[in-house]
Amino acid sequence: MASQGRDISHKAGEIAGQAQAKRDEVVKEASNASQAAADKTSSAAHSAKDTASETKDQSANFLQQTGEQVKSIAQGAAEAVKSTLGINSDPSSNNSSSTNNPSN
């Protein structure tokens, strides 16, 4: 009877050991899956940040170019109006019909 008790105790120990090993395996797999998900999330966030930064830079460049074009168009329009009215604000111009003397 004592040997039967030792066999049951031995079997219980084996089962407990197998359960512990299985639990450790499941915990390790869960930890690995969690780390993989965290890595993917971090990579996706980094990629999104890079894309946003690149888009921001492109937008700023586009707005700067557009501003320069609008400024150039406005200057051209102002010069056209001055030319039409006979007003020349360019002192380097040698046009004799336009002078900076208001008594004319």
Side-chain angles (χ1 to χ4, degrees), residues 8-28:
I8 291 175
S9 180
H10 178 52
K11 284 284 187 188
E14 275 184 27
I15 292 171
Q18 290 172 354
Q20 178 68 33
K22 186 65 173 176
R23 184 189 71 82
D24 291 347
E25 180 183 337
V26 168
V27 167
K28 186 175 180 177

Side-chain angles (χ1 to χ4, degrees), residues 73-91:
I73 291 169
Q75 287 174 340
E79 291 300 318
V81 168
K82 288 177 184 179
S83 176
T84 300
L85 296 176
I87 304 170
N88 189 353
S89 64
D90 185 7

Side-chain angles (χ1 to χ4, degrees), residues 7-103:
D7 286 343
I8 291 175
S9 180
H10 178 52
K11 284 284 187 188
E14 275 184 27
I15 292 171
Q18 290 172 354
Q20 178 68 33
K22 186 65 173 176
R23 184 189 71 82
D24 291 347
E25 180 183 337
V26 168
V27 167
K28 186 175 180 177
E29 287 176 3
S31 177
N32 289 344
S34 175
Q35 186 61 46
D39 291 346
K40 284 182 182 180
T41 301
S42 176
S43 177
H46 185 71
S47 177
K49 179 183 174 189
D50 289 347
T51 300
S53 178
E54 188 176 306
T55 301
K56 178 183 171 187
D57 293 344
Q58 289 173 352
S59 296
N61 189 27
F62 172 76
L63 290 174
Q64 181 179 2
Q65 288 176 350
T66 302
E68 290 171 0
Q69 289 173 349
V70 168
K71 179 180 174 183
S72 176
I73 291 169
Q75 287 174 340
E79 291 300 318
V81 168
K82 288 177 184 179
S83 176
T84 300
L85 296 176
I87 304 170
N88 189 353
S89 64
D90 185 7
S92 66
S93 176
N94 292 330
N95 191 344
S96 61
S97 66
S98 122
T99 63
N100 288 333
N101 187 349
S103 64

